[in-house]
Amino acid sequence: MNPLDAPALANPYPWYARLRQQGDLLYHQASRHWVASTARAVTTLLNHPGCRVRPLDSPVPLALGEGPAATLFSRLMRMNEGNAHRCPRQMLAAPIQRCTAADVSEETHRVATQLMTESQPLDVNHIMFQIPVTVVARLLGIRPDEARLLPRLTADFSAGFSAEVGEVETLHRAHLAAEELLQRFEHHLSSPYGPAAYIQPATNAEFGPDNRTRTAANLAGLLVQTFEATTGLVGNTLITLASRPALMQRVVQRHVTLSEVIAEVVRHDPPIQLTRRYMAEDSDVLGQQLPANASIILLLASANRDSQANEEGERFILERPSRRCFSFGAGSHHCPGETLATTIAGTTVQLLLQSGQVTPAQLRWHYKPSPNARIPVFEHRNQTEAT
Ligand code: HEM
């Protein structure tokens, strides 16, 4: 099986377990990727000084060509090393992490309440898709009428990342969306910040003369990072409750909180199942000779279940005393948005359950095809039956 097909399988976890039994790091001949499946291999590679987030000969996916989507992509901290990574990270990570769970929850309440009033009968897929990006845009100080346009633009831009050269329509939409995102955020940065802006980029003199364009790109980048991952976390939490009636009961009776549930969902069934690295030069990693530019798939979701990291890793255990979780990465590129994501997801699930229109036990779903994310798509017929 191609490792990039795993995230969208109904149950990829037995395959991950078999990989772990075969060793830390394996070469997958058919797909020409190295695959890291154990906690030891994933930890080593995420912290390895010789690993890069992009292939050496391809800083931007080939299919994006040279249009606005390529420009935006090339400026993202997530896709860079050195200054182009460090400077935007210095500007944004601390303001993101200063956002309190109370602020995020309040904003999610506001956005979700309005959306749920408009989306009747309730469309769970639409709510999951729309809320996370809108909330983060609002935390960045974007006006409500503009913030609600951003999930679609973010989706169109993100779809370009994995498009093939011949997918003309997808690529065209990605360029248009990137152009609009850049324009909107540049304009946003040139206007004075209102009181609604919880996340304000810190100034960074090192960033150079085109500071505003680079900052604008990285604000759009926050929406990209938020989008599928947080949508998937809402969906995977609903699925966890759907598959565990006793747990659902404890949530309804308020014996456990949704934050406790989400902390284990993030480990047990994470929305981002894998990330990628490329070797900068020939290297020996855990006894394997990896050539320069070797492409490595780091199975975060598999590392989470490795018994070396978490006892009885395959089991969903709410009260884990010392949970080890790789779902938000580690090392220099680790995710600064954990509190934001888990709070948005928790508040969204709570409001969906309180609406009385979503009964987890009656949901049916399949997974959206994706090379790295695990995002359920709920089937409408059953949602309606649940009402
Ligand atoms: C459940 C939701 C989320 C998950 C599972 C997630 C996961 C991750 C992971 C695994 C990485 C590291 C990728 C790598 O090293 O290859 C990452 C990076 C990042 N995430 Fe998140 N993320 C989530 C939500 C968010 C949110 C809400 C934000 C901010 C608004 C955010 C901002 C970022 C940024 C800026 C990076 C790049 C950091 C860097 O390159 O230094 N993420 N995320």
Side-chain angles (χ1 to χ4, degrees), residues 17 31 38 85 98 119 125 166 174 240 289 294 305 310 319:
S31 66
T38 63
H85 167 248
R98 269 198 301 272
S119 164
N125 297 313
T240 297
Q289 285 303 318
R305 291 189 177 211
N310 290 295
E319 301 86 3

Side-chain angles (χ1 to χ4, degrees), residues 149-185:
L149 304 175
L150 297 182
R152 171 47 50 209
L153 291 176
T154 308
D156 284 352
F157 171 53
S158 307
F161 291 17
S162 50
E164 301 288 339
V165 175
E167 294 179 53
V168 180
E169 185 54 41
T170 307
L171 291 165
H172 179 63
R173 280 207 305 271
H175 287 300
L176 287 180
E179 192 167 20
E180 198 171 332
L181 284 168
L182 278 172
Q183 274 171 6
R184 284 180 186 273
F185 277 110

Side-chain angles (χ1 to χ4, degrees), residues 105 108-109 230 233-234 237 257-259 262 339-353:
S105 178
T108 310
H109 260 273
T230 315
L233 183 54
V234 172
T237 304
T257 64
L258 277 168
S259 322
I262 284 178
T339 302
L340 232 63
T342 51
T343 309
I344 294 171
T347 310
T348 304
V349 172
Q350 184 196 358
L351 292 171
L352 284 170
L353 297 178

